[in-house]
């Protein structure tokens, strides 16, 4: 783990402007069309290949291996949708929205419009207890104040949420679909009819394929394995990024708000591929439109600049990032465990 020590600066507001000038001069904000052409082609071929294998294997329990493969592929499609939402792929907005809805709604079954709105609010105020939907008190609790008063099943989950974290990720795939439907019902989404039509098409095609090709028991097993592993993989790509990092109070300037709440994950090109570049979370939050392959290149520049201005820069291994997140969840649940023992 590498960190630097924070020191106050009267010119904090100009810090990001200077970093942005340096990065702009480096050319690393330029699009990478060749990279995305290869990546989108590879992900598309994997998706088509997975469903082709599903039909070729047919009614067999070996189809659960295909379910595992498709869970990884679905997560990679979702990561592509993430880059599309940040306009890393295309220069103009419309092609990105079209491709994003195809990837999110049609391929994965998750509303692109709902997720984009949620993710934009996260980027604007990462880890803010009131403004970041990713740390809102729902099933898991990330702030101690939100844990008080939780009873019954919710209280049990909060008391043991560190141990339940990975099992609960198996429900993430289903939760994305449920949240998408709720957003459509609320009716505050752009292109609502298009989003709904694509989601319905995905659901009908997905369930029809399962119950036509497989026996009822095999179809249910496929659905459970596929959606559970998809949720675990997708959750594991996002969990290291902010969980267990400081929660801002809203007074921070842009650079500190993004850097101090984010955590990088060290690793090789394999880590980059598995996490879709989200292991460079600090750089991604500072420059959300920067193409994924350039995040590794700009990382040394950003870390050096943070050391120069005295801003803490968190970088750790993948396993250590999960330890920190789980440790934080355990600490948040401590007051409820103590209260339960007292009762």
């Amino acid at each position: 783990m590498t960190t630097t020590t924070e020191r106050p600066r009267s010119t904090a507001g100009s810090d990001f402007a200077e970093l942005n000038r340096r990065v702009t001069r480096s050319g690393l904000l330029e699009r990478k069309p060749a990279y995305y052409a290869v990546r989108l082609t590879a992900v598309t071929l994997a998706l088509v290949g997975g469903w082709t294998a599903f039909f070729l294997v047919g009614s067999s329990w070996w189809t659960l291996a295909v379910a595992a493969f498709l869970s990884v592929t679905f997560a990679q499609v979702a990561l592509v949708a993430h880059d599309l939402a940040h306009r890393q792929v295309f220069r103009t907005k419309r092609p990105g929205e079209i491709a994003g809805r195809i990837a999110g709604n049609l391929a994965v079954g998750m509303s692109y419009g709902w997720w984009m709105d949620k993710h934009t609010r996260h980027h604007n105020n990462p880890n803010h207890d009131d403004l970041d939907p990713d740390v809102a008190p729902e099933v898991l609790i990330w702030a101690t104040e939100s844990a008080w008063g939780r009873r019954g099943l919710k209280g049990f989950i909060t008391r043991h949420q560190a141990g339940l974290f990975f099992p609960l990720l198996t429900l993430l795939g289903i939760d994305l679909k449920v949240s998408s439907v709720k957003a459509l019902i609320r009716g505050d989404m752009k292109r609502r009819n298009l989003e709904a039509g694509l989601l319905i098409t995905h659901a009908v095609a997905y369930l029809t394929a399962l119950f036509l090709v497989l026996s009822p028991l095999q179809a249910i097993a496929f659905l459970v394995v596929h959606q559970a592993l998809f949720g675990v993989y997708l959750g594991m790509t996002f969990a290291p990024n902010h969980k267990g990092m400081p929660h801002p109070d809203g007074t921070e300037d842009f650079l500190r708000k993004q850097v101090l709440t984010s955590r990088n994950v060290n690793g090789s090109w394999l880590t980059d591929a598995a996490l879709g570049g989200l292991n460079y979370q600090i750089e991604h939050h500072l420059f959300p439109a920067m193409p994924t392959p350039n995040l590794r290149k700009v990382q040394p520049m950003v870390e050096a600049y943070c050391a120069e201005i005295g801003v803490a820069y968190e970088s750790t291994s993948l396993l250590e990032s999960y330890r920190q997140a789980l440790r934080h969840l355990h600490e948040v649940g401590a007051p409820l465990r103590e209260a339960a023992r007292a009762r």
Side-chain angles (χ1 to χ4, degrees):
M1 179 175 70
T2 61
T3 60
T4 58
T5 304
E6 173 78 34
R7 64 181 176 86
R9 279 178 57 94
S10 59
T11 58
S14 65
D15 284 339
F16 177 71
E18 173 58 25
L19 176 62
N20 189 50
R21 280 193 293 269
R22 297 184 188 184
V23 172
T24 301
R25 286 197 301 267
S26 73
L28 293 174
L29 290 172
E30 296 297 322
R31 298 291 190 275
K32 302 286 286 187
Y35 164 81
Y36 278 108
V38 172
R39 182 176 171 189
L40 267 64
T41 299
V43 170
T44 301
L45 289 175
L47 185 64
V48 172
W51 283 116
T52 301
F54 169 81
F55 288 107
L56 290 176
V57 172
S59 183
S60 165
W61 287 105
W62 283 106
T63 196
L64 296 184
V66 179
F69 175 80
L70 280 173
S71 69
V72 174
T73 304
F74 267 44
Q76 286 294 324
V77 172
L79 290 171
V80 166
H82 168 270
D83 286 14
L84 289 164
H86 281 293
R87 298 182 65 177
Q88 297 175 18
V89 183
F90 299 101
R91 292 185 180 277
T92 56
K93 184 178 180 180
R94 184 164 176 76
E97 288 183 340
I98 293 172
R101 289 190 174 98
I102 292 173
N105 295 57
L106 192 59
V108 175
M110 171 191 72
S111 168
Y112 174 80
W114 160 77
W115 182 86
M116 186 173 180
D117 174 72
K118 174 176 177 288
H119 195 61
T120 298
R121 287 185 283 129
H122 158 70
H123 266 265
N124 290 341
N125 294 282
N127 263 23
H128 193 289
D129 293 335
D130 298 320
L131 301 176
D132 183 358
D134 287 357
V135 295
E138 295 179 351
V139 178
L140 296 175
I141 301 298
W142 298 98
T144 304
E145 310 82 63
S146 302
W148 288 109
R150 287 171 72 92
R151 302 284 184 178
L153 179 59
K154 289 183 177 180
F156 175 84
I157 292 174
T158 302
R159 292 196 300 273
H160 306 283
Q161 60 183 1
L164 293 172
F165 177 71
F166 288 108
L168 285 173
L169 286 183
T170 61
L171 302 176
L172 178 60
I174 300 300
D175 179 66
L176 292 174
K177 293 173 172 55
V178 171
S179 296
S180 297
V181 172
K182 288 181 178 178
L184 287 170
I185 292 174
R186 286 196 302 270
D188 54 357
M189 185 189 304
K190 294 180 180 179
R191 309 298 297 273
R192 179 188 180 194
N193 291 337
L194 175 60
E195 294 251 357
L198 291 173
L199 286 178
I200 292 171
T201 300
H202 168 85
V204 171
Y206 182 83
L207 294 174
T208 299
L210 262 58
F211 285 94
L212 276 182
V213 173
L214 307 177
S215 70
L217 187 58
Q218 288 171 345
I220 294 172
F222 183 98
L223 188 150
V224 170
V225 170
H226 180 213
Q227 296 299 326
L229 293 182
F230 166 57
V232 171
Y233 182 12
L234 193 62
M236 289 179 70
T237 65
F238 287 94
N241 303 338
H242 302 278
K243 309 311 182 190
M245 295 299 292
H247 288 219
D249 57 18
T251 62
E252 300 82 0
D253 64 290
F254 176 78
L255 184 144
R256 285 160 178 78
K257 179 169 64 175
Q258 303 299 339
V259 174
L260 297 176
T261 60
S262 303
R263 178 195 295 111
N264 274 16
V265 173
N266 307 323
S268 65
W269 65 268
L270 186 60
T271 306
D272 295 0
L275 300 184
L278 296 181
N279 45 315
Y280 303 105
Q281 191 67 193
I282 294 173
E283 290 71 30
H284 171 60
H285 263 256
L286 289 172
F287 305 99
M290 179 177 287
T292 292
N294 287 348
L295 295 173
R296 173 180 280 271
K297 298 176 182 178
V298 82
Q299 186 275 328
M301 184 187 303
V302 173
E303 184 175 12
Y305 184 74
C306 286
E308 179 183 325
I309 64 174
V311 173
Y313 183 102
E314 180 78 8
S315 182
T316 187
S317 69
L318 184 61
L319 289 179
E320 179 59 24
S321 72
Y322 292 131
R323 289 194 193 99
Q324 291 180 17
L326 294 175
R327 188 183 306 124
H328 178 74
L329 282 172
H330 186 70
E331 291 171 355
V332 168
L336 263 67
R337 293 194 298 274
E338 293 173 3
R341 283 193 293 267
R343 288 196 296 272

